[in-house]
Short mmCIF file of all heavy atoms in Angstrom, two decimals:
data_model
loop_
_atom_site.label_atom_id
_atom_site.label_comp_id
_atom_site.label_asym_id
_atom_site.label_seq_id
_atom_site.Cartn_x
_atom_site.Cartn_y
_atom_site.Cartn_z
N ALA A 1140 -1.12 2.16 7.36
CA ALA A 1140 -0.78 3.17 8.37
C ALA A 1140 -1.32 4.53 7.99
O ALA A 1140 -1.84 5.27 8.84
CB ALA A 1140 0.73 3.22 8.55
N GLY A 1141 -1.21 4.90 6.71
CA GLY A 1141 -1.66 6.22 6.28
C GLY A 1141 -3.15 6.42 6.40
O GLY A 1141 -3.61 7.51 6.72
N PHE A 1142 -3.92 5.34 6.16
CA PHE A 1142 -5.37 5.43 6.28
C PHE A 1142 -5.86 5.06 7.68
O PHE A 1142 -7.06 5.03 7.93
CB PHE A 1142 -6.05 4.55 5.23
CG PHE A 1142 -6.02 5.14 3.84
CD1 PHE A 1142 -5.07 4.73 2.93
CD2 PHE A 1142 -6.91 6.13 3.48
CE1 PHE A 1142 -5.02 5.28 1.65
CE2 PHE A 1142 -6.88 6.69 2.20
CZ PHE A 1142 -5.92 6.26 1.30
N GLU A 1143 -4.91 4.78 8.56
CA GLU A 1143 -5.22 4.46 9.97
C GLU A 1143 -6.30 3.38 10.07
O GLU A 1143 -7.27 3.51 10.81
CB GLU A 1143 -5.64 5.73 10.72
CG GLU A 1143 -4.58 6.82 10.69
CD GLU A 1143 -5.01 8.08 11.43
OE1 GLU A 1143 -4.92 8.10 12.67
OE2 GLU A 1143 -5.44 9.03 10.74
N ALA A 1144 -6.11 2.32 9.28
CA ALA A 1144 -7.07 1.22 9.24
C ALA A 1144 -6.63 0.12 10.20
O ALA A 1144 -5.53 -0.42 10.08
CB ALA A 1144 -7.17 0.66 7.83
N ASP A 1145 -7.48 -0.20 11.16
CA ASP A 1145 -7.16 -1.19 12.19
C ASP A 1145 -7.89 -2.50 11.94
O ASP A 1145 -8.80 -2.59 11.11
CB ASP A 1145 -7.53 -0.65 13.58
CG ASP A 1145 -6.75 0.60 13.94
OD1 ASP A 1145 -5.56 0.68 13.58
OD2 ASP A 1145 -7.34 1.51 14.57
N GLY A 1146 -7.52 -3.50 12.69
CA GLY A 1146 -8.24 -4.77 12.72
C GLY A 1146 -8.31 -5.46 11.38
O GLY A 1146 -7.39 -5.38 10.55
N ALA A 1147 -9.44 -6.13 11.12
CA ALA A 1147 -9.61 -6.91 9.90
C ALA A 1147 -9.57 -6.01 8.67
O ALA A 1147 -9.03 -6.39 7.62
CB ALA A 1147 -10.91 -7.69 9.95
N LEU A 1148 -10.14 -4.81 8.78
CA LEU A 1148 -10.13 -3.90 7.64
C LEU A 1148 -8.70 -3.46 7.32
O LEU A 1148 -8.31 -3.36 6.16
CB LEU A 1148 -11.00 -2.68 7.91
CG LEU A 1148 -11.15 -1.70 6.75
CD1 LEU A 1148 -11.77 -2.39 5.53
CD2 LEU A 1148 -12.00 -0.50 7.16
N GLY A 1149 -7.89 -3.23 8.36
CA GLY A 1149 -6.49 -2.89 8.14
C GLY A 1149 -5.74 -4.02 7.47
O GLY A 1149 -4.90 -3.78 6.58
N ASP A 1150 -6.01 -5.26 7.89
CA ASP A 1150 -5.39 -6.41 7.24
C ASP A 1150 -5.73 -6.45 5.76
O ASP A 1150 -4.88 -6.72 4.91
CB ASP A 1150 -5.86 -7.72 7.91
CG ASP A 1150 -5.32 -7.87 9.32
OD1 ASP A 1150 -4.32 -7.19 9.66
OD2 ASP A 1150 -5.90 -8.65 10.08
N TYR A 1151 -7.00 -6.18 5.46
CA TYR A 1151 -7.43 -6.19 4.06
C TYR A 1151 -6.70 -5.11 3.27
O TYR A 1151 -6.20 -5.38 2.17
CB TYR A 1151 -8.94 -5.97 3.98
CG TYR A 1151 -9.43 -5.79 2.56
CD1 TYR A 1151 -9.72 -6.89 1.77
CD2 TYR A 1151 -9.57 -4.52 2.01
CE1 TYR A 1151 -10.14 -6.73 0.46
CE2 TYR A 1151 -9.99 -4.35 0.70
CZ TYR A 1151 -10.28 -5.45 -0.07
OH TYR A 1151 -10.68 -5.28 -1.35
N PHE A 1152 -6.66 -3.89 3.79
CA PHE A 1152 -5.99 -2.79 3.09
C PHE A 1152 -4.53 -3.15 2.80
O PHE A 1152 -4.04 -2.95 1.70
CB PHE A 1152 -6.06 -1.51 3.93
CG PHE A 1152 -7.27 -0.67 3.65
CD1 PHE A 1152 -8.51 -1.24 3.48
CD2 PHE A 1152 -7.17 0.71 3.58
CE1 PHE A 1152 -9.63 -0.47 3.24
CE2 PHE A 1152 -8.28 1.50 3.34
CZ PHE A 1152 -9.51 0.90 3.17
N GLU A 1153 -3.85 -3.68 3.81
CA GLU A 1153 -2.44 -3.99 3.66
C GLU A 1153 -2.20 -5.10 2.64
O GLU A 1153 -1.38 -4.96 1.72
CB GLU A 1153 -1.86 -4.38 5.01
CG GLU A 1153 -0.38 -4.73 4.96
CD GLU A 1153 0.21 -5.00 6.33
OE1 GLU A 1153 -0.42 -4.63 7.33
OE2 GLU A 1153 1.31 -5.58 6.38
N ARG A 1154 -2.92 -6.19 2.78
CA ARG A 1154 -2.69 -7.34 1.91
C ARG A 1154 -3.17 -7.09 0.49
O ARG A 1154 -2.52 -7.48 -0.49
CB ARG A 1154 -3.36 -8.57 2.51
CG ARG A 1154 -2.76 -8.96 3.86
CD ARG A 1154 -3.55 -10.06 4.56
NE ARG A 1154 -3.45 -11.32 3.84
CZ ARG A 1154 -4.02 -12.46 4.28
NH1 ARG A 1154 -4.71 -12.46 5.42
NH2 ARG A 1154 -3.89 -13.57 3.58
N ALA A 1155 -4.32 -6.42 0.34
CA ALA A 1155 -4.84 -6.15 -1.00
C ALA A 1155 -3.94 -5.15 -1.74
O ALA A 1155 -3.70 -5.30 -2.94
CB ALA A 1155 -6.26 -5.62 -0.91
N SER A 1156 -3.45 -4.13 -1.04
CA SER A 1156 -2.58 -3.14 -1.68
C SER A 1156 -1.28 -3.79 -2.15
O SER A 1156 -0.81 -3.53 -3.27
CB SER A 1156 -2.27 -2.00 -0.71
OG SER A 1156 -3.45 -1.32 -0.34
N ALA A 1157 -0.70 -4.64 -1.31
CA ALA A 1157 0.53 -5.33 -1.69
C ALA A 1157 0.29 -6.26 -2.88
O ALA A 1157 1.09 -6.31 -3.82
CB ALA A 1157 1.08 -6.12 -0.50
N ALA A 1158 -0.83 -6.99 -2.85
CA ALA A 1158 -1.13 -7.92 -3.94
C ALA A 1158 -1.37 -7.18 -5.25
O ALA A 1158 -0.96 -7.64 -6.33
CB ALA A 1158 -2.34 -8.77 -3.58
N HIS A 1159 -2.03 -6.04 -5.16
CA HIS A 1159 -2.31 -5.23 -6.34
C HIS A 1159 -1.02 -4.87 -7.06
O HIS A 1159 -0.90 -5.03 -8.29
CB HIS A 1159 -3.03 -3.96 -5.87
CG HIS A 1159 -3.63 -3.15 -6.97
ND1 HIS A 1159 -4.15 -1.90 -6.76
CD2 HIS A 1159 -3.80 -3.38 -8.29
CE1 HIS A 1159 -4.60 -1.40 -7.90
NE2 HIS A 1159 -4.40 -2.27 -8.84
N VAL A 1160 -0.04 -4.39 -6.31
CA VAL A 1160 1.24 -3.99 -6.89
C VAL A 1160 2.01 -5.20 -7.40
O VAL A 1160 2.61 -5.17 -8.49
CB VAL A 1160 2.06 -3.22 -5.83
CG1 VAL A 1160 3.48 -2.99 -6.32
CG2 VAL A 1160 1.39 -1.90 -5.49
N ARG A 1161 1.96 -6.27 -6.64
CA ARG A 1161 2.72 -7.48 -7.01
C ARG A 1161 2.19 -8.11 -8.30
O ARG A 1161 2.96 -8.58 -9.14
CB ARG A 1161 2.66 -8.48 -5.86
CG ARG A 1161 3.59 -9.68 -6.01
CD ARG A 1161 3.49 -10.59 -4.81
NE ARG A 1161 3.94 -9.92 -3.59
CZ ARG A 1161 3.12 -9.63 -2.57
NH1 ARG A 1161 1.83 -9.94 -2.63
NH2 ARG A 1161 3.61 -9.04 -1.49
N GLN A 1162 0.88 -8.09 -8.48
CA GLN A 1162 0.27 -8.78 -9.60
C GLN A 1162 0.17 -7.92 -10.86
O GLN A 1162 -0.04 -8.44 -11.95
CB GLN A 1162 -1.12 -9.28 -9.21
CG GLN A 1162 -1.10 -10.35 -8.13
CD GLN A 1162 -2.49 -10.69 -7.62
OE1 GLN A 1162 -3.49 -10.26 -8.18
NE2 GLN A 1162 -2.55 -11.46 -6.54
N GLN A 1163 0.30 -6.60 -10.72
CA GLN A 1163 0.17 -5.70 -11.87
C GLN A 1163 1.38 -4.76 -11.96
O GLN A 1163 1.24 -3.53 -11.91
CB GLN A 1163 -1.12 -4.88 -11.77
CG GLN A 1163 -2.38 -5.69 -11.72
CD GLN A 1163 -2.75 -6.24 -13.09
OE1 GLN A 1163 -2.22 -5.83 -14.11
NE2 GLN A 1163 -3.70 -7.17 -13.12
N PRO A 1164 2.59 -5.31 -12.11
CA PRO A 1164 3.78 -4.47 -12.04
C PRO A 1164 3.91 -3.44 -13.16
O PRO A 1164 4.61 -2.43 -12.99
CB PRO A 1164 4.94 -5.49 -12.10
CG PRO A 1164 4.35 -6.68 -12.79
CD PRO A 1164 2.91 -6.73 -12.36
N THR A 1165 3.26 -3.66 -14.30
CA THR A 1165 3.37 -2.68 -15.39
C THR A 1165 2.28 -1.63 -15.34
O THR A 1165 2.36 -0.62 -16.05
CB THR A 1165 3.31 -3.40 -16.76
OG1 THR A 1165 2.04 -4.06 -16.89
CG2 THR A 1165 4.43 -4.42 -16.89
N ARG A 1166 1.26 -1.85 -14.51
CA ARG A 1166 0.14 -0.90 -14.45
C ARG A 1166 0.06 -0.18 -13.11
O ARG A 1166 -0.43 0.94 -13.05
CB ARG A 1166 -1.18 -1.64 -14.71
CG ARG A 1166 -1.24 -2.30 -16.07
CD ARG A 1166 -2.55 -2.99 -16.30
NE ARG A 1166 -3.65 -2.03 -16.43
CZ ARG A 1166 -4.93 -2.38 -16.54
NH1 ARG A 1166 -5.28 -3.65 -16.50
NH2 ARG A 1166 -5.86 -1.45 -16.66
N ALA A 1167 0.50 -0.82 -12.05
CA ALA A 1167 0.43 -0.24 -10.71
C ALA A 1167 1.82 0.23 -10.30
O ALA A 1167 2.74 -0.58 -10.14
CB ALA A 1167 -0.10 -1.26 -9.71
N ILE A 1168 1.98 1.53 -10.14
CA ILE A 1168 3.28 2.11 -9.78
C ILE A 1168 3.18 2.69 -8.38
O ILE A 1168 2.57 3.75 -8.17
CB ILE A 1168 3.68 3.21 -10.78
CG1 ILE A 1168 3.72 2.64 -12.21
CG2 ILE A 1168 5.03 3.81 -10.41
CD1 ILE A 1168 3.98 3.68 -13.27
N PRO A 1169 3.75 2.00 -7.37
CA PRO A 1169 3.67 2.49 -5.99
C PRO A 1169 4.79 3.48 -5.69
O PRO A 1169 5.89 3.39 -6.24
CB PRO A 1169 3.84 1.21 -5.17
CG PRO A 1169 4.77 0.37 -6.00
CD PRO A 1169 4.43 0.70 -7.45
N LEU A 1170 4.50 4.41 -4.81
CA LEU A 1170 5.50 5.37 -4.35
C LEU A 1170 5.49 5.40 -2.82
O LEU A 1170 4.44 5.23 -2.19
CB LEU A 1170 5.20 6.77 -4.88
CG LEU A 1170 5.18 6.97 -6.40
CD1 LEU A 1170 4.78 8.39 -6.73
CD2 LEU A 1170 6.52 6.62 -7.01
N VAL A 1171 6.66 5.65 -2.26
CA VAL A 1171 6.77 5.87 -0.82
C VAL A 1171 7.46 7.21 -0.60
O VAL A 1171 8.43 7.54 -1.27
CB VAL A 1171 7.56 4.73 -0.14
CG1 VAL A 1171 8.96 4.59 -0.73
CG2 VAL A 1171 7.66 4.99 1.37
N ALA A 1172 6.90 7.98 0.32
CA ALA A 1172 7.50 9.26 0.70
C ALA A 1172 8.21 9.08 2.04
O ALA A 1172 7.64 8.51 2.97
CB ALA A 1172 6.44 10.34 0.82
N THR A 1173 9.45 9.53 2.12
CA THR A 1173 10.18 9.53 3.38
C THR A 1173 10.63 10.96 3.69
O THR A 1173 10.88 11.75 2.77
CB THR A 1173 11.41 8.60 3.34
OG1 THR A 1173 12.33 9.07 2.34
CG2 THR A 1173 11.01 7.17 3.03
N VAL A 1174 10.71 11.26 4.97
CA VAL A 1174 11.23 12.55 5.42
C VAL A 1174 12.39 12.27 6.37
O VAL A 1174 12.21 11.63 7.41
CB VAL A 1174 10.14 13.38 6.12
CG1 VAL A 1174 10.74 14.65 6.72
CG2 VAL A 1174 9.02 13.74 5.16
N ASP A 1175 13.56 12.70 5.95
CA ASP A 1175 14.78 12.44 6.72
C ASP A 1175 14.91 10.95 7.04
O ASP A 1175 15.32 10.55 8.14
CB ASP A 1175 14.79 13.26 8.01
CG ASP A 1175 14.80 14.74 7.74
OD1 ASP A 1175 15.39 15.16 6.72
OD2 ASP A 1175 14.21 15.51 8.54
N GLY A 1176 14.53 10.11 6.07
CA GLY A 1176 14.70 8.67 6.19
C GLY A 1176 13.55 7.94 6.84
O GLY A 1176 13.53 6.70 6.83
N ALA A 1177 12.57 8.65 7.38
CA ALA A 1177 11.42 8.00 8.05
C ALA A 1177 10.24 7.93 7.09
O ALA A 1177 9.93 8.91 6.39
CB ALA A 1177 11.03 8.78 9.30
N ASP A 1178 9.58 6.78 7.06
CA ASP A 1178 8.40 6.63 6.20
C ASP A 1178 7.34 7.66 6.57
O ASP A 1178 6.98 7.82 7.74
CB ASP A 1178 7.81 5.23 6.35
CG ASP A 1178 8.66 4.18 5.66
OD1 ASP A 1178 9.52 4.56 4.83
OD2 ASP A 1178 8.47 2.98 5.94
N ALA A 1179 6.83 8.38 5.55
CA ALA A 1179 5.87 9.46 5.80
C ALA A 1179 4.56 9.30 5.05
O ALA A 1179 3.56 9.89 5.45
CB ALA A 1179 6.50 10.81 5.45
N GLY A 1180 4.54 8.54 3.95
CA GLY A 1180 3.30 8.43 3.19
C GLY A 1180 3.44 7.49 2.02
O GLY A 1180 4.53 6.97 1.73
N SER A 1181 2.32 7.27 1.33
CA SER A 1181 2.29 6.36 0.19
C SER A 1181 1.41 6.94 -0.90
O SER A 1181 0.59 7.83 -0.65
CB SER A 1181 1.74 4.99 0.62
OG SER A 1181 0.39 5.11 1.02
N ALA A 1182 1.56 6.41 -2.11
CA ALA A 1182 0.73 6.83 -3.23
C ALA A 1182 0.85 5.79 -4.33
O ALA A 1182 1.86 5.09 -4.44
CB ALA A 1182 1.17 8.20 -3.75
#
């Protein structure tokens, strides 16, 4: 959502990012930013 990636490229971004974090839990530290409870960004 943050990179506004649509279609097949968006699928790749979403699935690869999730897999990256899932497979490297000690090296990949994901963050989520929320504003008043609403998702606002990632890092």
Side-chain angles (χ1 to χ4, degrees):
F1142 284 99
E1143 301 180 80
D1145 298 323
L1148 184 60
D1150 291 340
Y1151 172 85
F1152 270 42
E1153 180 175 344
R1154 296 172 67 177
S1156 298
H1159 191 189
V1160 170
R1161 190 178 296 114
Q1162 294 172 9
Q1163 300 284 347
T1165 62
R1166 300 181 68 185
I1168 303 175
L1170 299 176
V1171 58
T1173 62
V1174 174
D1175 297 328
D1178 286 344
S1181 64

